[in-house]
Amino acid sequence: MVSGVSLFSPDYASARARFRAAALRAGAAHDALPLAARGPHDESLTIDLAWLGTRRPRRVMLHISGVHGVEAFAGSATQLALLAAPPPLPADGALILTHVLNPYGMAWQRRANEHNVDLNRNFHLGHSTWTGTPPLYRRLDALLNPTSPPARDAFALRLGAAGLRHGVRAVRQAIAHGQHRYPRGLFYGGAELQPGPRLFIDWLRAQLPGAASLFAIDLHTGLGPHAGNTLIVEPGIGSAPLAELSRALRQPLEDSSTAPAAYAVRGSLGAALPGILPGAGVEFVLQEIGTCPALRVIHALREENRWHHYGDGHLDHSAKRCLLEALCPAAPAWRDAAVMQGTNLVYRAASWLFRDEFS
Ligand SMILES: [Zn+2]
């Protein structure tokens, strides 16, 4: 098996080129959904999809990388490993790899998309609306989103003081919940469904009308202990009882509303999937490969956001490098571990989804 490290690409353009070449080598069908936004070298941006197995699947394993742009480096590497050694597929099964749902964020080394929207706060369907902001976020806005370029301003100390005053858990929940009030702020959920999610939803509906079971894995990096593997499920999602799923994945599952490491989120991709494919039984797991302490991640996100809005935003800047290191550490051991955790979860989920019920 190739080392995980060698599967990491230095930028979006090379990651996409490698993904397309690997899909071709694997005999996968390939699709690309074009976005209007451009990369830093004026390159085009696409959400790429590689499809292995039958074109009319009843059971679908769906893997998604790069909902949070810059977090896609580990997801892209994992998908290259999966194309080189895919899990066995039954006659009614397909494996679909979604390469970088937020290509703008990967290309520009941002977590948000071309409209500063956090796509995992943007998947509102049906009756949901793009409004609402936790009251505590409003109080933290000036601290989280200064209207100036990056600078030392005792952020850690001030956030610590806010934690003492309001409770660390309440502060964490208020920040990460998603907000619809500050378009230049962190964790902004947007005012409408974003182009990337819209294209992806339409594609899923058009391509998978006959799917009876869908197992989706959404790969992220950042949350949890360094190189650790945290699996988070959406409350109320999934046709399999939690214990059964946990056994199949040989891993404890955390519920985003109760897990100490996590927080409840509005407008997540996982919560939207059953509404996107109402005919399918949906299982969904958000996989987090941990990187560094949460305070360092939020600080790096904050400084990069200042650089994007109030600096000139180019890639050759410490704010960009710090964010990349906070969400995709350069350490070879971390990169190897990330690809191993990423591929293992797919193999386990696939062997459960594609189990022979009649044996
Ligand atoms: Zn993420």
Side-chain angles (χ1 to χ4, degrees), residues 5-295:
V5 177
S6 66
L7 300 174
F8 279 73
S9 302
D11 53 41
Y12 166 74
S14 46
R16 178 173 66 181
R18 290 175 81 181
F19 180 79
R20 290 179 175 179
L24 194 65
R25 268 196 306 277
H30 170 258
D31 234 342
L33 314 178
L35 290 163
R38 312 289 292 188
H41 308 290
D42 199 39
E43 66 270 37
S44 70
L45 301 173
T46 51
I47 300 165
D48 286 65
L49 299 122
W51 182 314
L52 285 162
T54 174
R55 289 308 297 233
R56 301 226 165 271
R58 224 174 57 78
R59 294 181 282 181
V60 180
M61 181 85 230
L62 176 66
H63 192 265
I64 302 143
S65 70
V67 168
H68 284 148
V70 61
E71 296 174 22
F73 289 91
S76 176
T78 296
Q79 291 177 340
L80 288 182
L82 289 169
L83 282 169
L89 302 173
D92 70 343
L95 169 68
I96 300 173
L97 305 175
T98 309
H99 187 257
V100 195
L101 199 62
N102 172 12
Y104 178 92
M106 186 184 191
W108 287 94
Q109 294 176 25
R110 307 208 72 211
R111 191 170 180 277
N113 81 341
E114 58 273 26
H115 302 129
N116 195 49
V117 173
D118 178 334
L119 295 189
N120 210 35
R121 311 289 184 279
N122 183 249
F123 278 86
H124 294 294
L125 300 174
H127 302 296
S128 316
T129 55
W130 284 270
T131 57
T133 298
L136 185 50
Y137 189 103
R138 298 182 190 200
R139 299 181 69 166
L140 296 171
D141 168 56
L143 172 60
L144 293 173
N145 307 309
T147 56
S148 56
R152 284 172 192 270
D153 54 6
F155 171 69
L157 212 64
R158 290 156 65 205
L159 190 66
L164 282 177
R165 183 160 176 198
H166 304 288
V168 172
R169 195 174 162 79
V171 166
R172 183 195 296 243
Q173 174 60 43
I175 294 173
H177 174 272
Q179 55 89 11
H180 294 275
R181 188 183 175 95
Y182 307 99
R184 291 184 162 196
L186 298 175
F187 299 90
Y188 175 56
E192 60 191 359
L193 190 64
Q194 290 298 292
R198 165 54 64 207
L199 287 168
F200 184 53
I201 288 169
D202 290 348
W203 187 89
L204 288 174
R205 284 181 170 152
Q207 301 293 327
L208 298 173
S213 315
L214 178 89
F215 198 127
I217 295 173
D218 182 17
L219 178 57
H220 291 246
T221 58
L223 192 73
H226 184 80
N229 185 30
T230 305
L231 303 183
I232 302 167
V233 294
E234 290 282 339
I237 305 282
S239 49
L242 213 54
E244 184 191 333
L245 204 54
S246 180
R247 256 196 318 279
L249 301 176
R250 279 179 260 152
Q251 187 94 38
L253 298 174
E254 302 196 51
D255 177 324
S256 61
S257 64
T258 56
Y263 32 74
V265 158
R266 264 189 81 234
S268 73
L269 164 63
L273 274 173
I276 295 169
L277 295 170
V282 172
E283 307 295 346
F284 175 84
V285 173
L286 189 153
Q287 181 176 31
E288 281 277 5
I289 311 293
T291 54
C292 61
L295 177 62

